[in-house]
Amino acid sequence: MTTALLGATALPFLLSVPSHAENIGVSMARFDSTFLTLLRNGMEARAAELGDVTMQVEDAVNDPSNQLNQVSNFIASGVDAIIIAAVDADSTPAMTALADAAGIPIIYANHPPADLDSLPAKAAFVGSNEIDSGTLQTKEVCRLLGGKGNVLILMGPLNNHSALQRTKDVHDVIATDDCKGMSVLEEQTANWDRLEAANLMTNWLSSSLEFDAVVANNDEMAIGAIQALKSVGRDMNSVLVAGVDATPDGLASMAAGDLDVTIFQNAHAQGAASIDAALALARGEPTEQQIWVPFELVTPQNMADYAN
C-alpha cells in the first residue's frame, strides 16, 4: 500500500497523451451538493485539459443501490475506468468487487471506501484526511473563544465518514487542556443541507440555549445557521460560526463578516487527481493507492488567497 500527499495547488500527475479516446464512468453521490459539484468540475476540467478523455457522469441521488447499479452499467458498457464519489462507505466493497472481477480500475473520490486498506491492485482513493479538517476548525474556534464557551454542532449525515470524523475531531479538541473550558450543548444532523440547518438552528434558538459558537461539518450548514441567527436579530459579533470546505458561498459569508472560520478542501485538486489515477491504472501505469490533498485553515485574514 502506497500513499502520496499532494500540494493544494499542484497538478497531481503528468500523464502522456493517450493514443485512443478513453471513457471514464463517474457516479456522484448527488448532484445537488455544492462541494460535489466542485469535485465534478475538477474532474471535467482535467479531462478536457488532457484531451481524448470522455466522462459518463451519473447522479446516484444519494441512494447506494442506484450507485451500485450505475457501476454495473458502466462495466457492461465497457468503460476504461470508474470513479465513485460514494453515497456511503458500507456500499463500497460490493462496487470494488464488481470492478475488480471485470478487470476495470475503480477510484474512490473524496469519500473513503470501507475497504480502503484492502483495495485490490486496480483501485485507489483520492481525498483529504478528515482528522485534519475538524481539528483545524475546532482549534481555531478554541483560540478565538480563549478556550471557554458553549458549542452547538451541526453534523452531516450520520452514515457519512466525513461527518462522523469531523464531529469526533470537535470532541477530541475540546478534550485537550487548552480547550477543556469548552462544552458541547447539542449536536444534531442537518445532512449537509442549508435549509435543514436553518430549521434546526431555529429550533435551538426557540429553546433559549445559551451558546457561544456553532461548529458545522460544512459551509452549507454554517450558512443555514447564520441565516437563522440573523432572522432573529442575533448580533453576529456575539457568536462564532465555523464551517468546512471554503466554498464560494462560504467565502462570501466570511467576507460579509458572518462566517468566522472555514477549512479549505481542494475539491478541484481531488477531482483532477481522480482522473489522473483512473487513467494511470487503465493504462497499466503505477499510481499510489491513497492520494491525499491537504486541508487548509481559512480565516478573514487569509481568505483572499482562496477567492478563486
Side-chain angles (χ1 to χ4, degrees), residues 21-296:
E22 288 160 298
N23 186 30
I24 300 175
V26 180
S27 174
M28 305 299 296
R30 49 190 285 198
F31 278 2
D32 62 341
S33 161
T34 300
F35 181 82
L36 292 181
T37 298
L38 295 172
L39 180 70
R40 188 171 83 242
N41 289 346
M43 295 180 196
E44 291 170 344
R46 185 62 170 151
E49 177 186 357
L50 292 170
D52 289 328
V53 177
T54 60
M55 290 170 52
Q56 179 183 341
V57 186
E58 302 289 344
D59 182 1
V61 200
N62 225 29
D63 185 335
S65 62
N66 282 346
Q67 195 155 59
L68 185 61
N69 287 336
Q70 287 165 1
V71 170
S72 296
N73 291 338
F74 290 149
I75 293 169
S77 67
V79 297
D80 295 289
I82 298 169
I83 298 176
I84 303 293
V87 173
D88 62 46
D90 291 342
S91 61
T92 58
M95 292 186 281
T96 302
L98 282 175
D100 189 45
I104 296 175
I106 187 166
I107 309 299
Y108 292 100
N110 184 251
H111 191 161
D115 48 349
L116 176 62
D117 293 324
S118 58
L119 290 173
K122 285 191 173 184
F125 167 68
V126 177
S128 300
N129 191 337
E130 293 296 352
I131 294 175
D132 298 332
S133 60
T135 299
L136 288 169
Q137 178 195 43
T138 312
K139 281 185 174 181
E140 180 65 6
V141 170
C142 174
R143 186 187 72 81
L144 293 170
L145 289 177
K148 299 177 181 179
N150 293 327
V151 177
L152 302 174
I153 303 177
L154 288 165
M155 301 175 63
L158 298 181
N159 65 347
N160 184 277
H161 165 82
S162 297
L164 295 174
Q165 185 61 56
R166 290 174 190 180
T167 301
K168 181 179 184 298
D169 296 339
V170 178
H171 287 281
D172 288 347
V173 171
I174 289 176
T176 64
D177 288 341
D178 289 343
C179 307
K180 61 185 178 184
M182 298 167 62
S183 60
V184 175
L185 295 182
E186 292 277 356
E187 59 181 53
Q188 292 188 42
T189 180
N191 293 305
W192 302 132
D193 189 77
R194 187 182 301 195
L195 180 58
E196 284 193 43
N199 291 336
L200 178 54
M201 192 74 237
T202 297
N203 291 338
W204 280 338
L205 289 166
S206 67
S207 67
S208 302
L209 286 172
E210 295 185 6
F211 58 92
D212 304 287
V214 179
V215 178
N217 285 169
N218 76 340
D219 285 349
E220 281 294 291
M221 294 188 294
I223 292 169
I226 289 166
Q227 291 174 339
L229 288 162
K230 295 177 81 170
S231 72
V232 299
R234 177 76 179 255
D235 181 358
M236 294 306 298
N237 291 322
S238 70
V239 58
L240 289 171
V241 182
V244 176
D245 289 335
T247 62
D249 284 354
L251 292 174
S253 181
M254 182 171 283
D258 297 328
L259 185 66
D260 299 285
V261 179
T262 189
I263 305 298
F264 179 58
Q265 180 174 195
N266 196 331
H268 195 278
Q270 288 185 17
S274 298
I275 291 291
D276 286 348
L279 292 175
L281 289 176
R283 297 170 191 170
E285 299 170 0
T287 187
E288 292 82 4
Q289 277 201 305
Q290 295 182 19
I291 301 163
W292 299 100
V293 180
F295 283 104
E296 301 172 40

